[in-house]
């Protein structure tokens, strides 16, 4: 079961059915969805995705998915899940544009990484980021992620694969450098 996580200003908690409209609005905002997965999807596809969070992800306890809230309002989405692309666990996060530029992305990413290390017992956590997504690349670099390789996508774009490792000697999350 996905646990709730708290940061200084945010609450990451499992979605509830009443979040559907806010979830769809977040994923339908092309400023957000252009950086997620294969990019913008139809409203019907985003509604189906929301439904699968309950019928597949939560029902089968596949991985952790959170609604990101600030002052009770849904301002983002977060996940940590195993993926074949990186051969390990990947963090995924997205914030509504109104939440950009205030350090909330750092709070979300750090909370997910800490959950990966402290709760899931991972030794490394990955992120995949579209090469033009400078904001996410800078944020992840700042919190200790290092670039390990690039993936050339079928459409000619480049995805950067990043990793942050935890060292056994200090039992702390340290940069992968």
């Amino acid at each position: 079961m996905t646990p709730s996580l708290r940061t200084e200003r945010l609450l990451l908690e499992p979605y509830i059915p009443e979040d559907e409209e806010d979830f769809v609005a977040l994923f339908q905002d092309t400023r957000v969805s252009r950086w997620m997965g294969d990019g913008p999807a139809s409203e019907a596809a985003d509604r189906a995705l929301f439904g699968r969070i309950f019928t597949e992800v939560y029902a089968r306890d596949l991985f952790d998915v959170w609604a990101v809230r600030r002052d009770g309002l849904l301002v983002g989405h977060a996940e940590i899940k195993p993926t074949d692309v990186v051969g390990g666990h990947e963090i995924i996060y997205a914030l509504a544009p109104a939440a950009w530029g205030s350090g909330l992305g750092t709070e979300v990413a750090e909370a997910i990484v800490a959950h990966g290390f402290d709760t899931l017992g991972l030794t490394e956590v990955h992120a995949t980021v579209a090469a033009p997504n400078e904001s996410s690349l800078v944020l992840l670099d700042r919190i200790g992620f290092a670039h390990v390789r690039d993936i050339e996508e079928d459409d000619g774009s480049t995805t950067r694969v990043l990793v942050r490792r935890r060292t056994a000697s200090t039992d702390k999350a340290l940069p992968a450098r």
Side-chain angles (χ1 to χ4, degrees), residues 5-10 12 66 68 77-80 91-95 103-119 122 125-127 136 138-145 164-166 172-175:
L5 308 175
R6 287 198 176 275
T7 70
E8 182 180 333
R9 299 175 288 171
L10 300 172
L12 284 68
W66 296 275
V68 179
H77 171 87
E79 308 176 14
I80 186 167
I91 66 168
I92 298 167
Y93 59 91
L95 291 175
L104 296 179
T106 300
E107 282 187 42
V108 170
E110 288 279 32
I112 304 168
V113 168
H115 175 72
F117 290 145
D118 300 338
T119 304
L122 303 175
V125 176
H126 296 84
S136 281
V138 167
L139 181 156
L140 293 167
D141 179 68
R142 190 174 55 244
I143 66 169
F145 278 79
R164 180 167 161 186
R165 294 189 176 96
R166 180 179 185 142
K172 285 181 63 180
L174 293 178

Side-chain angles (χ1 to χ4, degrees), residues 22 59 101 120 138:
D22 291 333
L120 301 179
V138 167

